[in-house]
Amino acid sequence: MKRLIAFTLAAASAFHAWAQAPQPPEIAARNYLLLDVTSNQVLAEREADQPQDPASLTKLMTAYIVFGALRDKKLTLDQQLSVSQRAWDERKGDPSLMFIDTTMRPKVDELLRGMIIQSGNDASVALAEGVAGTVEQFVAMMNRQAQAWGLKNTEFKNVTGMTEPGHKSSARDLSVIAGHLVRDFPQYYGYYSQREYTFNKIRQHNRNLLLGRDPSVDGMKTGYTDAAGYCLVTSAVREFPNGKRRLLSVVLGTASREARASESQKLLNWGYSAFDAVRLFDKGQAISTVPVWKGAAPDAKLGALDAVFVAVPRGEGSKLQSRIERTDPLVAPLTQGQRVGTLKVMTAAGTPVAEVPLVVQQEVPLAGILGRAWDAIRLWIK
């Protein structure tokens, strides 16, 4: 059964009403979402689940699959890849290009820069074929990953983002993909902060205008088609007294390059100024110590896998409450990292703010025969 253990993070002010959530500024975009990556909370959104043409934001997932291949040693950054006729054919229609041709053997590192900084469709195709053999097989990998993350409004038909029937994603789904890039592949995230790249004596600038305007912005990706309008996923990290805080904005369907930049900047600035990031617990900190039955140790320390942050309207952090829901009785053996409960964080009025899995911090093996027998009797009496 579950046992509820309530405790207040700031008992003196626990009965104050929660302030009304801050209202976001007017954003001139068809769809948008602002995510606090540090606390994994959505701070603002509009029609974030509506499927849209994602344009070159598609390349966020293309990059994720390539990074996965690098992680799994299926590719190396220095590995040279051939350029197929299909990759060269991306020149038709004058889309975004890295300007590779079939006589070249660019390195994976060069192709990643061409895809991420220059938004090269030709680079995207070359990388897809290098990883999966064919574009179609690579697209299947993209869709399997989307399904694994539960992205219900995303389906990929190509690796570039060119408009195609059925090729779709949403602001929320794109924020999930971008968030995974930030968290899962920090070693490759630096590609997104580079403001220009020269390949084959052709110099191109990153189309993310905020990289040159806001020093806290360190990525991520632009997109444009006639159907999608001007789109931008932006990630920024700023330093605060209690640590670094990362926000990620998604704006879809703006009217111009300047609009996608200015509306993203507006969202980011509002998120940083309207909300505080409250550190509740540090990584490795015991949140609760609970009794264990039939164990070699009498109790177990429970904690979170990482530091616990929550985003709250500015000045409202002192009014939070928490409650632990956990399995009771807790019976050995328990393995380190085993989930046995949930930390629920709420406003003083009871509105949910966050739910954090609680895990066992140290292994608790079975007790000896006598210890197990004694606890069995105690449990039966209980």
Side-chain angles (χ1 to χ4, degrees):
M1 67 179 175
K2 293 281 188 181
R3 171 172 288 185
L4 305 185
I5 304 173
F7 62 96
T8 304
L9 295 172
S13 55
F15 297 100
H16 287 270
W18 185 257
Q20 184 176 4
Q23 294 301 303
E26 182 58 36
I27 301 298
R30 184 172 53 232
N31 319 84
Y32 70 80
L33 182 142
L34 180 65
L35 174 70
D36 188 314
V37 178
T38 305
S39 65
N40 197 31
Q41 290 173 251
V42 174
L43 305 183
E45 63 180 276
R46 181 169 69 210
E47 297 185 1
D49 294 311
Q50 185 180 86
Q52 298 290 350
D53 183 334
S56 281
L57 301 184
T58 298
K59 297 184 177 89
L60 292 170
M61 183 64 96
T62 307
Y64 190 91
I65 300 300
V66 176
F67 292 157
L70 288 167
R71 176 199 58 206
D72 298 338
K73 310 298 184 185
K74 296 177 180 177
L75 287 180
T76 67
L77 289 175
D78 290 333
Q79 183 176 340
Q80 292 180 306
L81 299 180
S82 59
V83 178
S84 68
Q85 183 67 38
R86 183 168 184 173
W88 191 90
D89 283 345
E90 290 295 327
R91 291 173 182 245
K92 297 175 181 178
D94 193 28
S96 300
L97 295 168
M98 180 186 179
F99 295 103
I100 51 178
D101 65 48
T102 55
T103 68
M104 298 176 178
R105 287 184 58 82
K107 296 179 179 179
V108 170
D109 175 72
E110 294 171 324
L111 290 167
L112 281 169
R113 295 174 193 274
M115 178 178 71
I116 293 170
I117 304 166
Q118 300 174 334
S119 201
N121 290 350
D122 48 0
S124 303
V125 171
L127 284 167
E129 292 176 332
V131 170
T134 68
V135 171
E136 288 74 20
Q137 289 175 327
F138 190 93
V139 170
M141 295 171 67
M142 295 168 70
N143 285 318
R144 284 196 296 271
Q145 186 62 73
Q147 291 167 6
W149 288 336
L151 307 187
K152 300 184 183 304
N153 298 300
T154 294
E155 184 175 1
F156 296 111
K157 299 293 185 179
N158 59 62
V159 301
T160 62
M162 295 297 288
T163 300
E164 186 174 339
H167 188 82
K168 62 183 180 179
S169 192
S170 67
R172 192 182 315 281
D173 287 0
L174 289 164
S175 76
V176 172
I177 299 169
H180 274 286
L181 278 168
V182 171
R183 291 187 295 267
D184 297 350
F185 296 110
Q187 68 271 41
Y188 303 126
Y189 181 71
Y191 285 114
Y192 290 97
S193 66
Q194 296 182 33
R195 295 174 60 182
E196 63 178 48
Y197 180 53
T198 300
F199 181 81
N200 198 24
K201 299 181 181 180
I202 301 172
R203 180 185 180 188
Q204 296 188 65
H205 292 277
N206 194 316
R207 297 174 178 87
N208 184 355
L209 299 179
L210 293 185
L211 288 174
R213 296 181 184 179
D214 184 341
S216 71
V217 171
D218 57 6
M220 292 189 63
K221 191 70 189 72
T222 62
Y224 171 77
T225 63
D226 288 341
Y230 290 87
C231 308
L232 179 61
V233 173
T234 310
S235 185
V237 61
R238 298 183 187 179
E239 191 80 46
F240 289 86
N242 62 350
K244 293 181 179 180
R245 183 179 173 207
R246 181 176 292 278
L247 299 186
L248 188 147
S249 65
V250 181
V251 295
L252 306 179
T254 68
S256 66
R257 290 187 180 187
E258 179 59 40
R260 71 186 176 192
S262 61
E263 299 309 288
S264 298
Q265 184 77 78
K266 193 188 301 183
L267 260 182
L268 291 170
N269 288 343
W270 172 79
Y272 280 118
S273 62
F275 289 84
D276 290 327
V278 179
R279 183 193 289 263
L280 299 182
F281 299 99
D282 292 324
K283 183 177 181 178
Q285 180 180 349
I287 296 175
S288 179
T289 301
V290 299
V292 177
W293 300 86
K294 301 184 181 181
D299 50 44
K301 290 182 170 58
L302 308 185
L305 290 171
D306 211 336
V308 179
F309 286 85
V310 293
V312 297
R314 183 169 292 277
E316 297 295 319
S318 63
K319 302 172 185 179
L320 290 174
Q321 301 179 85
S322 287
R323 184 178 73 230
I324 289 177
E325 295 183 1
R326 65 170 176 82
T327 302
D328 186 54
L330 206 56
V331 181
L334 301 174
T335 58
Q336 185 177 6
Q338 179 180 337
R339 181 174 180 175
V340 294
T342 303
L343 172 70
K344 295 191 173 184
V345 184
M346 303 153 292
T347 69
T351 304
V353 175
E355 291 191 6
V356 181
L358 288 182
V359 300
V360 177
Q361 293 188 316
Q362 291 182 326
E363 178 186 8
V364 181
L366 275 172
I369 295 176
L370 291 178
R372 296 201 305 271
W374 175 242
D375 274 359
I377 294 171
R378 294 171 62 210
L379 278 171
W380 179 75
I381 295 172
K382 182 183 177 182

